[in-house]
Amino acid sequence: MAGLALCAPSVPDGPDYGPLLIPLGDDGIVEALRASWNTFWTFDPDLTEAARPLHAWLREPSDEDVRGLADYARVLIRAGLLEYCSDAARAESDDILGLMITRMRSYTERQSTGEFFTPPIAADNVGEITLATGLEPGALLLEPCAGTGTMARAAAAAMRVYGMDPGSYRWWLNDLDELNAACCAVNAQLWRLGRQVTVSCADSLREPGVLEESAHSRSEKARAEQRRRPVLYPTESRSPYWPY
């Protein structure tokens, strides 16, 4: 889902890629997903590295992975995922990756970590009350227990209602779970949070100093690696979406 979402056109009236992707064979779908992550790697290597749990399987997928996930990709395309993600207003109306993570984890798993998805209506109200006004451009918005980022989604939506540009602010989204943090990295792109986004994965309550140091270190390493290796996954396909 994350890889396909990154393939969406950048504007609602952009080209329709569904008819191009659905007829592809299983290997062709995998190639298209690799291309989408290659584009994200070029655009923002730091966030792509934070999202690695979502795309590392593409390096050496098994036949079963390829067959099952290619079928699922076609289901998502037919369901309108690309159209949904191409429209910023629709994309930020809900946290589709967060909903997916919640439904994949059992109640017992969520209870053991105290992890529960914030309902959109609650997030929207809190975001509008606390983050929509009185902020100077360049201010840092820090969410130490971000989950998959739904509070940032609500804040960005409220900002746009008030004529503010989320890209004018700095965002720092942290979560203890690496899969949640990976979703934050992709959501930051889907919700158009701008180029000043940091995503980290650590215990922000116990080790805030280590959190900042590790986040900056990972960012420097990712950017250095991107300069050495411009292509993340070898492929002959090119992503149809280019965010510049």
Short mmCIF file of all heavy atoms in Angstrom, two decimals, residues 6 40 43 47 184-194 241 243:
data_model
loop_
_atom_site.label_atom_id
_atom_site.label_comp_id
_atom_site.label_asym_id
_atom_site.label_seq_id
_atom_site.Cartn_x
_atom_site.Cartn_y
_atom_site.Cartn_z
N LEU A 6 2.89 5.97 -3.11
CA LEU A 6 3.94 6.85 -3.59
C LEU A 6 3.97 6.95 -5.11
O LEU A 6 4.66 7.80 -5.67
CB LEU A 6 5.31 6.38 -3.08
CG LEU A 6 5.52 6.49 -1.56
CD1 LEU A 6 6.83 5.82 -1.16
CD2 LEU A 6 5.50 7.94 -1.11
N PHE A 40 11.43 7.90 -4.23
CA PHE A 40 11.40 8.45 -2.86
C PHE A 40 12.82 8.56 -2.32
O PHE A 40 13.16 9.51 -1.61
CB PHE A 40 10.54 7.54 -1.99
CG PHE A 40 10.06 8.18 -0.71
CD1 PHE A 40 9.91 9.55 -0.60
CD2 PHE A 40 9.76 7.40 0.40
CE1 PHE A 40 9.46 10.14 0.57
CE2 PHE A 40 9.31 7.98 1.58
CZ PHE A 40 9.16 9.34 1.66
N PHE A 43 14.30 11.62 -3.77
CA PHE A 43 13.64 12.81 -3.25
C PHE A 43 14.01 13.07 -1.79
O PHE A 43 14.31 14.20 -1.40
CB PHE A 43 12.13 12.64 -3.38
CG PHE A 43 11.33 13.81 -2.89
CD1 PHE A 43 11.45 15.05 -3.49
CD2 PHE A 43 10.44 13.66 -1.84
CE1 PHE A 43 10.70 16.13 -3.05
CE2 PHE A 43 9.68 14.72 -1.39
CZ PHE A 43 9.82 15.96 -2.00
N LEU A 47 13.89 9.97 4.87
CA LEU A 47 12.58 9.37 5.10
C LEU A 47 12.49 7.97 4.49
O LEU A 47 11.83 7.09 5.05
CB LEU A 47 11.48 10.27 4.53
CG LEU A 47 11.24 11.60 5.24
CD1 LEU A 47 10.04 12.32 4.65
CD2 LEU A 47 11.06 11.41 6.74
N CYS A 184 4.96 6.70 9.34
CA CYS A 184 5.08 8.15 9.48
C CYS A 184 5.87 8.74 8.32
O CYS A 184 5.53 9.82 7.80
CB CYS A 184 5.77 8.50 10.81
SG CYS A 184 4.70 8.51 12.25
N ALA A 185 6.95 8.07 7.94
CA ALA A 185 7.80 8.58 6.88
C ALA A 185 7.05 8.68 5.56
O ALA A 185 7.18 9.66 4.82
CB ALA A 185 9.03 7.69 6.72
N VAL A 186 6.25 7.67 5.24
CA VAL A 186 5.47 7.71 4.00
C VAL A 186 4.31 8.71 4.13
O VAL A 186 4.03 9.47 3.20
CB VAL A 186 4.94 6.30 3.67
CG1 VAL A 186 4.01 6.35 2.44
CG2 VAL A 186 6.09 5.35 3.40
N ASN A 187 3.66 8.71 5.28
CA ASN A 187 2.55 9.64 5.47
C ASN A 187 2.99 11.10 5.36
O ASN A 187 2.24 11.95 4.88
CB ASN A 187 1.91 9.41 6.84
CG ASN A 187 0.92 8.24 6.82
OD1 ASN A 187 0.35 7.93 5.78
ND2 ASN A 187 0.72 7.62 7.96
N ALA A 188 4.20 11.39 5.79
CA ALA A 188 4.70 12.76 5.67
C ALA A 188 4.70 13.21 4.21
O ALA A 188 4.45 14.38 3.91
CB ALA A 188 6.12 12.85 6.25
N GLN A 189 4.97 12.29 3.31
CA GLN A 189 4.93 12.60 1.89
C GLN A 189 3.50 12.69 1.39
O GLN A 189 3.13 13.61 0.65
CB GLN A 189 5.70 11.53 1.11
CG GLN A 189 5.67 11.69 -0.39
CD GLN A 189 6.46 12.89 -0.87
OE1 GLN A 189 7.11 13.57 -0.08
NE2 GLN A 189 6.39 13.17 -2.16
N LEU A 190 2.64 11.73 1.79
CA LEU A 190 1.26 11.71 1.33
C LEU A 190 0.50 12.95 1.80
O LEU A 190 -0.38 13.45 1.09
CB LEU A 190 0.55 10.44 1.82
CG LEU A 190 1.13 9.10 1.36
CD1 LEU A 190 0.27 7.96 1.89
CD2 LEU A 190 1.24 9.04 -0.15
N TRP A 191 0.84 13.42 3.00
CA TRP A 191 0.13 14.58 3.57
C TRP A 191 0.82 15.90 3.25
O TRP A 191 0.43 16.94 3.78
CB TRP A 191 -0.01 14.41 5.07
CG TRP A 191 -0.77 13.18 5.47
CD1 TRP A 191 -1.75 12.56 4.74
CD2 TRP A 191 -0.63 12.42 6.67
NE1 TRP A 191 -2.22 11.46 5.41
CE2 TRP A 191 -1.55 11.35 6.60
CE3 TRP A 191 0.17 12.54 7.81
CZ2 TRP A 191 -1.69 10.41 7.62
CZ3 TRP A 191 0.05 11.60 8.82
CH2 TRP A 191 -0.87 10.55 8.73
N ARG A 192 1.85 15.86 2.41
CA ARG A 192 2.55 17.07 1.95
C ARG A 192 3.02 17.93 3.13
O ARG A 192 2.75 19.12 3.20
CB ARG A 192 1.65 17.91 1.06
CG ARG A 192 1.49 17.44 -0.38
CD ARG A 192 0.70 16.18 -0.54
NE ARG A 192 0.18 16.02 -1.90
CZ ARG A 192 -0.48 14.95 -2.31
NH1 ARG A 192 -0.70 13.95 -1.47
NH2 ARG A 192 -0.91 14.85 -3.55
N LEU A 193 3.75 17.31 4.05
CA LEU A 193 4.25 18.05 5.20
C LEU A 193 5.48 18.89 4.88
O LEU A 193 5.94 19.66 5.72
CB LEU A 193 4.59 17.10 6.35
CG LEU A 193 3.42 16.30 6.95
CD1 LEU A 193 3.88 15.53 8.18
CD2 LEU A 193 2.24 17.21 7.29
N GLY A 194 6.04 18.74 3.68
CA GLY A 194 7.18 19.56 3.29
C GLY A 194 8.50 18.84 3.43
O GLY A 194 8.57 17.64 3.68
N TYR A 241 5.50 8.89 -10.83
CA TYR A 241 5.33 10.09 -10.00
C TYR A 241 6.70 10.64 -9.62
O TYR A 241 7.53 9.92 -9.11
CB TYR A 241 4.55 9.76 -8.74
CG TYR A 241 4.54 10.86 -7.73
CD1 TYR A 241 4.08 12.14 -8.04
CD2 TYR A 241 5.01 10.65 -6.44
CE1 TYR A 241 4.08 13.16 -7.12
CE2 TYR A 241 5.01 11.67 -5.50
CZ TYR A 241 4.54 12.92 -5.84
OH TYR A 241 4.54 13.92 -4.92
N PRO A 243 8.21 13.82 -7.45
CA PRO A 243 7.70 14.85 -6.56
C PRO A 243 8.32 16.23 -6.69
O PRO A 243 7.87 17.16 -6.03
CB PRO A 243 8.00 14.26 -5.17
CG PRO A 243 9.15 13.34 -5.37
CD PRO A 243 9.01 12.80 -6.77
#
